Amino acid sequence: TFITMIILTLITSFVGQISSYISGLISMRVDAEIKSDIFNKILITDWESLTTYHTGDLLARWGSDASSISSGVLNFVPNAILNVFRFATALAVMIYYDWTFAVFAFLGVPVSMLLSKTLMRRMVNNNQRSAAMSAKMSGFNQEAFSNIQTIKAFDLIGLYVNRLKNIQKEYISMRL
């Protein structure tokens, strides 16, 4: 039994490592493909429509949004299968040991659905505000670093430091 447990643990570790490696490879390829497609769309878009977006917004869409989409696409089906399996096994165990507990658990589902709907709405709003603030911060940094010689030449260092502090305060107050 001990040797069997060791062999099973080694096999599980080996399969987990291979699975993580393959998953990482696929994730990087999909992420790179989505980013190159977004980059292509940005470059072929007419200049007038791009001027409505700050460079920070474009960088955020190209960087973090593309990565979020690729990870969401790649993780949805495996996570859905895993969660359905976990739910089915937990339900089977509850029914086996005490079917009344399973009934009470199902009676709590509508309450959970209402609470999760409210919390999901808040989470989506917070994520949108956080993405907008991240884009603003990225745009400010990109602009400041691109124009660093001008900032130094016109002695605007204090102004830019104060602007950064204001953006950081706005970011922190938004997070609270």
Side-chain angles (χ1 to χ4, degrees):
T1 304
F2 180 71
I3 292 173
T4 304
M5 291 299 291
I6 289 174
I7 291 171
L8 287 175
T9 303
L10 290 173
I11 290 172
T12 302
S13 296
F14 181 71
V15 169
Q17 290 295 321
I18 290 175
S19 173
S20 294
Y21 176 76
I22 292 171
S23 174
L25 249 160
I26 292 170
S27 178
M28 286 189 300
R29 286 184 181 162
V30 169
D31 187 53
E33 187 65 33
I34 290 173
K35 283 182 178 178
S36 66
D37 188 45
I38 291 172
F39 187 75
N40 182 38
K41 299 285 191 244
I42 289 172
L43 289 181
I44 62 173
T45 302
D46 63 300
W47 180 248
E48 291 82 24
S49 60
L50 278 181
T51 56
T52 60
Y53 297 102
H54 195 275
T55 54
D57 287 331
L58 295 175
L59 286 172
R61 299 300 167 259
W62 182 76
S64 61
D65 289 0
S67 297
S68 297
I69 291 169
S70 67
S71 69
V73 166
L74 292 174
N75 294 330
F76 177 75
V77 172
N79 287 342
I81 292 170
L82 185 63
N83 288 333
V84 167
F85 179 74
R86 285 180 180 167
F87 175 77
T89 55
L91 182 64
V93 168
M94 281 194 300
I95 290 172
Y96 178 76
Y97 284 110
D98 188 7
W99 66 271
T100 56
F101 187 68
V103 170
F104 285 120
F106 269 113
L107 291 176
V109 169
V111 174
S112 295
M113 294 290 281
L114 289 173
L115 288 176
S116 68
K117 185 176 181 179
T118 305
L119 291 175
M120 283 297 288
R121 194 175 308 125
R122 286 180 59 197
M123 190 171 76
V124 166
N125 289 337
N126 285 340
N127 283 345
Q128 287 174 346
R129 289 189 333 194
S130 181
M133 183 53 78
S134 179
K136 185 176 182 179
M137 184 79 84
S138 176
F140 174 80
N141 289 336
Q142 189 268 339
E143 178 184 313
F145 293 144
S146 296
N147 299 318
I148 197 161
Q149 290 178 341
T150 307
I151 292 169
K152 287 180 178 184
F154 290 105
D155 196 28
L156 300 173
I157 296 170
L159 175 71
Y160 272 80
V161 168
N162 287 334
R163 282 181 58 196
L164 176 65
K165 287 180 181 179
N166 289 337
I167 291 173
Q168 288 172 335
K169 285 179 187 176
E170 184 180 346
Y171 180 73
I172 290 170
S173 66
M174 183 207 59
R175 296 298 242 168
L176 298 176

